[in-house]
Amino acid sequence: MTLLDIKNLNLSMRSFEGETQILHGIDLKVERGEIWGMVGETGSGKSLTGLSVSRLIPPATGRYLAGSIEFEGRDVLKAGEKEMRALRGRKIGMIFQDPTTNLNPVFRIGTQLVDVALHAGHADPTVLGLEPGASSRDLKKAAKRVAVEMLDKVGIPKAAERIHDYPHQFSGGMRQRVLIAMAMIGKPDLLIADEPTTALDVSVQAQILKLIHDLVAERNIGVLMITHNLGVVAQICSHVAVMYRGRILERGLVTDVLKKPSHVYTQALLNSIPTAHTKRGELRGLGGVMPEVQ
Amino acid sequence: MILYTLRRLILLIPMLIGLTMIVFAIARLLPGDPVALAAGPNATPDVIESVRQEFGLDKSLPQQYWAYVTGLVQGDWGVSIFTRRPVFEDIMTFLPATLELVAAAMLIAIVLGIPLGLAAAVYRNGVVDYLTRTVALGGIAMPRFFLGLLLQLMFVSWLDILPLSGRFPLIEIPPEGPTGIYTIDSIVAGDWYSLTIALQHLALPAFAMSLSPLATIMRMMRASTIEVLQQDFVMTERALGISNTKILFKYVLKNAMTSTLTVIGLYVSWLLGGTVLVETVFDWPGLGLYATQAILSQDFMPVIGVTLVIAMIYLVTMLIVDLLYGVFNPRVRYT
Amino acid sequence: MTSTPTTLPKRDQSARLENWARAFYRFRQSWLSVIGLAIVVMLVAVALFAPLIVPHPEHVAGGTNTAARFTAPGADFWFGTNALGQDVFSLVLVGSQVSLFSGLAVVIIAIVVGGLVGAIAGYFGGWIDEILMRITDLLLTIPSLILAMAVAAALGTGVTNMIIAIAITWWPAYARLVRGEVIGKKEEQFITAAKALGASWPRILGRHILPNIMSPIIVKASLDMGFAVLTVASLGFVGIGVKAPTPEWGTLLSVARADMPDYWWTAVFPGCAIFLAVLAFNLLGDGLRDVMDPKARR
């Protein structure tokens, strides 16, 4: 069964300027073991595609005009809120861009990690290494143990102690590791990572990408990596989809698309990356503007 | 944190010295002759002069200030020219009544304000939201003394279920106790009859006083909850399957409390300074009425005393708020 | 439709126009502020034309009519009459003069004094800042109503004295506000540029910084107008402030207390006038804040 199958997704968003259609017929299939990179400029609709998979766009502002998002064969756009909650954190993990704002500042990181683990454990105790039907006391104990293990796994030194620390006591890179641990603690089958390295130092970026890559390889899960950075795509993705103004212009294996881009826009995007061989004055920006999304 | 508290307490001392200087200066620089007022219209110049000497008003300003401050430290807060009683004793008599009133009002405001503000933020543009916003708008604009009069009109004149004014009926004996706060003293003594009477008298003035802080706390709580709900971490928590109830009552509430806490602290002093209005309406024998009488007869010492007490309570409240702030917000460092 | 146009649409709206559109959107959203503005305009009109439109100007001047005392509200006396037989409607209308005028005066004095102190403290920093702000902080800890009462009582009754008394307790808040804003602005490029061109400090403060920090001051002032009206009425209510025969809402209410509950109209109408005025200024201030200072939106 296909892990994630997005068919003809059309989404419009409401703001005070009126309703604007953001996604125009997105089609995308993600299988286990594939790391899909979604590239495009700010406002091209790539983040909203990611949020749609977990159905996190508030119904008051976003409206699906057509299409379906099938996760393991079930259409999430037709699922109830309870059903969605069972998927979130357990079947679908998410990582967002800014590690400074995505951790709750007034709680210990352990509290947040354990809560996610507990949620996943309630749905499926085996995630925490327990038999089905385990008591809630056992679940709590196991959640704490697994939280420390997971922190250790994402490379936080002295995980058993640091679990009692607050987010502000960690560096940006370490915080993103904590968020990755939170996203992966429920042993999800699909990971959606929205610009996971954009807010980080270049030196830290590579470490985080390697961490995600290793975890994915170990657990054989599917990944939707949303980024505007073709360098990131080239480093860890197996496939890439290029988005522009709510449409996927071209898709395929990373090696094919980056070497022989067939679309003018992809070529322009590739040309806009400065390399060591770029001469002064040769660097190109892209013309035009994105439609505004609030 | 203990060190921080100690340092803050020590820092209070220069604040208090500055405070006494300013209050004393204001009181003495103002025109008006309390001695002439106190001695009466028929007093001869000799009598006025002797009264002046009796209260040390014939000395120079720095001398008077020095005498006052040294007295303060020893518990001698001067003597009221009018009641001829030590100001410190007077204040200790009237302070519990005012504290009882302010505490009751704040309790009502907090117990109602926080849940209502939270509910308004969650059910934005719903019934609760419109209700709380209307109450909030009206509550801030409603003069406490006018609200007090309206409450008297409704609950005393029309419904006749609550006493008009005062703190305890003259024919009854108020509960005796260590605090002087009737509700607490009667609970300590297990005297439920007195407690009922005390609460009946407290209800209307406390409610009249609570509306403004209630409105502000509700507004603040609503606004900060809405702000917190838009934070990135709420999205992360939702995306990882944590239930909305848990997100709201655990993760959002603690964040939203930090800004509300400051408002609560500020209101304690605001209410203390403004009790005079409600005390006038309900003949509540507290600091406000005492200060008003002193002001009307230009009796310096009680005014200075009351002002200092309220300012001190304010400073201590703000210290407590700052310490509590650290409980809600671990990013605060006590250095 | 997968082809991409090679030329992309240009941005057709200027940023400024968009800002105005957003501001207008915010104002339209809070229709309450429009109501607030309407009531404020009405109050100002009433205050200006009260002497011309009141039905019983002789009562405003202190005249009495004991034959008609405690007449209930009706066609002759819309708000009824008080213990002296005076028309409450006339008194309330003229009462708006004292309230609005004193409120405005208090806020203006507080802005001028507080603004000056805050601007100097913020601009020069160092020990000047230290001394001025310590005094300001100390004044902020003193209960303002008691201080205002004490000062007003010592100075004696009268509108001017009352205004001075309240303003003494109000300027520190503006000093804090202006100081913070000045500190925020003085490091900006255009100030450095003005300094480099040899502008003097009063000029830099007055011509370059002040116009840039007006928004928060105006917002605070409009909110404070309501509270100033409330404070004026409070002083009147406790018996310190404007004395009869000058009609003032708080004093009217205070006098009427003796006639409660039988002659409720003598108290209820002045009370409602205070409520309405404070409410209107609050609504207006909220609306202005949403438009002028969206970041501080609460």
Side-chain angles (χ1 to χ4, degrees):
Chain A
M1 201 192 312
T2 309
L3 183 65
L4 177 68
D5 193 356
I6 304 175
K7 287 175 194 156
N8 188 34
L9 188 66
N10 281 272
L11 168 73
S12 74
M13 298 288 278
R14 246 165 295 190
S15 73
F16 72 86
E17 279 138 348
E19 196 166 339
T20 329
Q21 188 167 352
I22 305 295
L23 299 179
H24 303 262
I26 300 288
D27 287 291
L28 191 73
K29 267 187 192 179
V30 179
E31 303 285 355
R32 278 170 200 281
E34 292 180 349
I35 303 185
W36 273 85
M38 274 197 123
V39 281
E41 296 166 62
T42 313
S44 60
K46 52 194 195 320
S47 289
L48 290 174
T49 308
L51 289 175
S52 294
V53 174
S54 284
R55 254 226 354 247
L56 287 169
I57 297 169
T61 52
R63 199 155 63 90
Y64 294 100
L65 307 169
S68 65
I69 302 174
E70 282 175 21
F71 180 77
E72 292 183 330
R74 278 176 303 178
D75 187 356
V76 298
L77 295 186
K78 292 198 177 75
E81 187 58 28
K82 207 176 164 191
E83 212 177 322
M84 281 318 297
R85 215 163 77 68
L87 290 182
R88 292 180 197 142
R90 165 67 193 94
K91 292 281 190 179
I92 304 173
M94 288 192 88
I95 308 168
F96 294 97
Q97 177 172 348
D98 191 347
T100 51
T101 57
N102 276 294
L103 280 168
N104 195 322
V106 303
F107 286 89
R108 299 172 203 281
I109 60 155
T111 316
Q112 306 175 56
L113 209 50
V114 167
D115 268 349
V116 178
L118 264 177
H119 161 68
H122 274 298
D124 181 4
T126 55
V127 169
L128 303 178
L130 298 171
E131 297 293 312
S135 73
S136 62
R137 235 181 98 201
D138 287 344
L139 276 174
K140 265 185 195 157
K141 246 197 222 156
K144 275 180 198 157
R145 179 174 46 77
V146 172
V148 176
E149 284 170 12
M150 198 64 220
L151 268 192
D152 191 53
K153 203 174 178 78
V154 296
I156 306 268
K158 295 186 200 154
E161 292 166 32
R162 306 269 353 231
I163 200 159
H164 301 297
D165 283 351
Y166 288 95
H168 69 268
Q169 290 163 298
F170 291 85
S171 68
M174 283 294 159
R175 268 181 249 186
Q176 195 60 298
R177 284 171 193 268
V178 174
L179 281 160
I180 292 172
M182 268 168 73
M184 298 294 285
I185 202 165
K187 298 219 166 81
D189 300 302
L190 175 70
L191 178 69
I192 299 168
D194 191 348
E195 309 261 11
T197 57
T198 309
L200 302 174
D201 286 349
V202 182
S203 56
V204 184
Q205 281 184 12
Q207 297 169 13
I208 295 294
L209 286 177
K210 186 171 184 318
L211 174 66
I212 294 176
H213 183 266
D214 293 350
L215 285 170
V216 167
E218 183 193 318
R219 294 183 176 177
N220 189 36
I221 68 178
V223 179
L224 191 59
M225 170 86 78
I226 294 155
T227 179
H228 65 265
N229 188 337
L230 281 168
V232 170
V233 173
Q235 274 182 59
I236 76 162
C237 293
S238 58
H239 296 70
V240 63
V242 181
M243 277 191 82
Y244 178 71
R245 301 193 70 171
R247 292 178 179 84
I248 292 182
L249 298 182
E250 76 176 300
R251 83 195 73 210
L253 286 169
V254 165
T255 41
D256 294 347
V257 174
L258 294 192
K259 280 216 184 95
K260 284 183 237 122
S262 59
H263 202 281
V264 246
Y265 179 72
T266 317
Q267 288 164 11
L269 205 61
L270 281 166
N271 282 338
S272 67
I273 306 171
T275 65
H277 309 292
T278 310
K279 291 198 186 88
R280 265 181 90 84
E282 212 179 55
L283 187 60
R284 280 201 194 120
L286 296 171
V289 275
M290 287 293 147
E292 284 216 6
V293 184
Q294 281 292 297
Chain B
M1 187 152 141
I2 296 165
L3 258 174
Y4 172 80
T5 315
L6 272 176
R7 189 165 13 216
R8 281 286 303 262
L9 282 173
I10 292 168
L11 273 175
L12 281 184
I13 296 171
M15 288 284 281
L16 287 176
I17 294 174
L19 204 61
T20 52
M21 282 167 90
I22 284 191
V23 175
F24 198 84
I26 293 173
R28 287 299 147 96
L29 289 178
L30 289 174
D33 191 349
V35 176
L37 263 174
N42 302 323
T44 59
D46 287 350
V47 175
I48 292 177
E49 199 45 48
S50 71
V51 175
R52 199 179 296 281
Q53 276 172 13
E54 184 190 334
F55 292 102
L57 294 176
D58 53 337
K59 298 201 185 76
S60 72
L61 261 187
Q63 277 174 320
Q64 286 181 38
Y65 174 72
W66 180 246
Y68 182 68
V69 169
T70 46
L72 266 187
V73 183
Q74 294 156 10
D76 172 15
W77 290 33
V79 174
S80 160
I81 297 181
F82 248 66
T83 62
R84 302 253 169 177
R85 267 163 44 94
V87 170
F88 190 75
E89 270 178 39
D90 275 349
I91 287 180
M92 285 304 135
T93 318
F94 296 116
L95 182 63
T98 294
L99 283 182
E100 183 172 38
L101 191 55
V102 170
M106 276 323 280
L107 199 69
I108 296 174
I110 292 171
V111 168
L112 290 180
I114 288 178
L116 282 175
L118 205 63
V122 175
Y123 302 106
R124 230 173 138 176
N125 299 322
V127 181
V128 183
D129 193 17
Y130 280 112
L131 204 78
T132 52
R133 271 155 77 186
T134 312
V135 173
L137 279 172
I140 290 173
M142 176 60 92
R144 277 163 290 172
F145 46 92
F146 183 45
L147 178 63
L149 287 177
L150 291 181
L151 288 173
Q152 283 180 335
L153 204 59
M154 189 168 160
F155 287 93
V156 184
S157 308
W158 293 349
L159 299 175
D160 195 21
I161 47 173
L162 287 171
L164 177 71
S165 61
R167 203 180 163 207
F168 219 79
L170 286 173
I171 45 164
E172 304 266 359
I173 300 158
E176 298 249 336
T179 60
I181 295 172
Y182 289 171
T183 41
I184 292 181
D185 284 346
S186 50
I187 289 172
V188 169
D191 180 357
W192 309 120
Y193 176 70
S194 295
L195 179 66
T196 319
I197 295 179
L199 283 177
Q200 280 171 347
H201 283 82
L202 184 60
L204 290 185
F207 183 73
M209 220 169 177
S210 73
L211 193 64
S212 176
L214 169 65
T216 311
I217 290 173
M218 247 167 22
R219 239 166 103 140
M220 198 72 202
M221 199 63 203
R222 176 181 179 273
S224 43
T225 306
I226 288 174
E227 205 180 298
V228 176
L229 281 173
Q230 288 163 348
Q231 300 281 310
D232 287 346
F233 57 77
V234 176
M235 180 62 105
T236 303
E237 282 155 8
R238 251 161 62 75
L240 295 178
I242 296 175
S243 73
N244 283 336
T245 330
K246 197 170 210 173
I247 292 179
L248 187 66
F249 289 109
K250 182 172 177 181
Y251 288 105
V252 171
L253 182 64
K254 196 174 172 189
N255 276 281
M257 275 304 291
T258 43
S259 38
T260 310
L261 196 66
T262 317
V263 175
I264 293 174
L266 285 173
Y267 252 108
V268 170
S269 77
W270 190 81
L271 285 185
L272 276 171
T275 48
V276 44
L277 298 169
V278 172
E279 287 179 9
T280 307
V281 175
F282 289 96
D283 286 324
W284 190 264
L287 281 187
L289 274 188
Y290 177 60
T292 311
Q293 277 161 9
I295 286 170
L296 287 174
S297 47
Q298 301 193 3
D299 193 357
F300 293 139
M301 287 305 172
V303 181
I304 298 177
V306 170
T307 308
L308 281 181
V309 166
I310 294 178
M312 261 192 271
I313 296 177
Y314 168 76
L315 290 173
V316 173
T317 315
M318 288 326 276
L319 174 61
I320 294 173
V321 165
D322 280 355
L323 291 176
L324 271 180
Y325 203 78
V327 175
F328 285 99
N329 188 352
R331 282 165 297 185
V332 175
R333 292 231 176 85
Y334 295 109
T335 43
Chain C
M1 222 188 98
T2 44
S3 70
T4 319
T6 33
T7 52
L8 298 159
K10 287 273 178 317
R11 183 180 280 258
D12 48 10
Q13 260 184 322
S14 77
R16 180 178 285 269
L17 240 151
E18 206 174 295
N19 280 343
W20 277 107
R22 275 168 212 271
F24 178 69
Y25 175 74
R26 277 194 296 267
F27 204 81
R28 202 182 52 188
Q29 253 198 334
S30 59
W31 51 272
L32 278 173
S33 48
V34 180
I35 296 180
L37 181 66
I39 304 177
V40 167
V41 169
M42 191 194 79
L43 281 170
V44 171
V46 165
L48 286 178
F49 301 114
L52 304 175
I53 56 174
V54 290
H56 294 278
E58 72 277 8
H59 293 165
V60 174
T64 56
N65 178 14
T66 39
R69 63 197 298 254
F70 294 132
T71 312
D76 292 343
F77 303 102
W78 290 0
F79 291 177
T81 61
N82 64 10
L84 300 172
Q86 296 168 322
D87 177 34
V88 177
F89 182 63
S90 302
L91 296 180
V92 168
L93 282 198
V94 176
S96 62
Q97 286 184 325
V98 173
S99 293
L100 292 192
F101 172 74
S102 329
L104 193 66
V106 165
V107 171
I108 289 175
I109 296 175
I111 289 177
V112 172
V113 176
L116 209 63
V117 171
I120 289 173
Y123 187 79
F124 290 104
W127 61 270
I128 298 180
D129 182 27
E130 197 66 25
I131 292 175
L132 287 178
M133 282 304 119
R134 283 284 163 270
I135 295 174
T136 309
D137 283 347
L138 282 174
L139 278 173
L140 280 172
T141 63
I142 297 176
S144 56
L145 190 61
I146 294 183
L147 182 59
M149 279 167 64
V151 175
L155 293 178
T157 54
V159 178
T160 320
N161 288 342
M162 184 183 64
I163 291 168
I164 293 171
I166 302 176
I168 284 177
T169 67
W170 279 44
W171 67 265
Y174 283 92
R176 276 242 148 262
L177 175 74
V178 170
R179 172 182 176 270
E181 293 288 329
V182 168
I183 287 177
K185 281 282 176 293
K186 76 172 177 184
E187 302 300 337
E188 292 206 7
Q189 291 275 311
F190 64 94
I191 302 302
T192 320
K195 272 187 200 161
L197 290 171
S200 63
W201 69 264
R203 192 182 162 80
I204 291 177
L205 267 178
R207 290 296 293 271
H208 298 283
I209 295 184
L210 204 64
N212 280 295
I213 61 172
M214 280 315 283
S215 296
I217 297 177
I218 291 174
V219 170
K220 184 170 167 54
S222 62
L223 285 169
D224 272 359
M225 262 304 288
F227 294 114
V229 169
L230 193 59
T231 309
V232 170
S234 302
L235 286 186
F237 184 74
V238 293
I240 300 164
V242 187
K243 281 270 151 59
T246 315
E248 193 275 322
W249 293 336
T251 319
L252 289 176
L253 197 56
S254 154
V255 173
R257 265 187 74 210
D259 309 323
M260 291 274 272
D262 298 337
Y263 312 110
W264 52 268
W265 55 85
T266 52
V268 167
F269 290 110
C272 286
I274 304 170
F275 175 68
L276 197 68
V278 182
L279 182 70
F281 281 110
N282 277 349
L283 291 178
L284 180 67
D286 275 352
L288 282 178
R289 173 165 53 191
D290 286 356
V291 174
M292 300 174 88
D293 198 6
K295 263 184 284 176
R297 201 175 178 188
R298 279 261 166 224

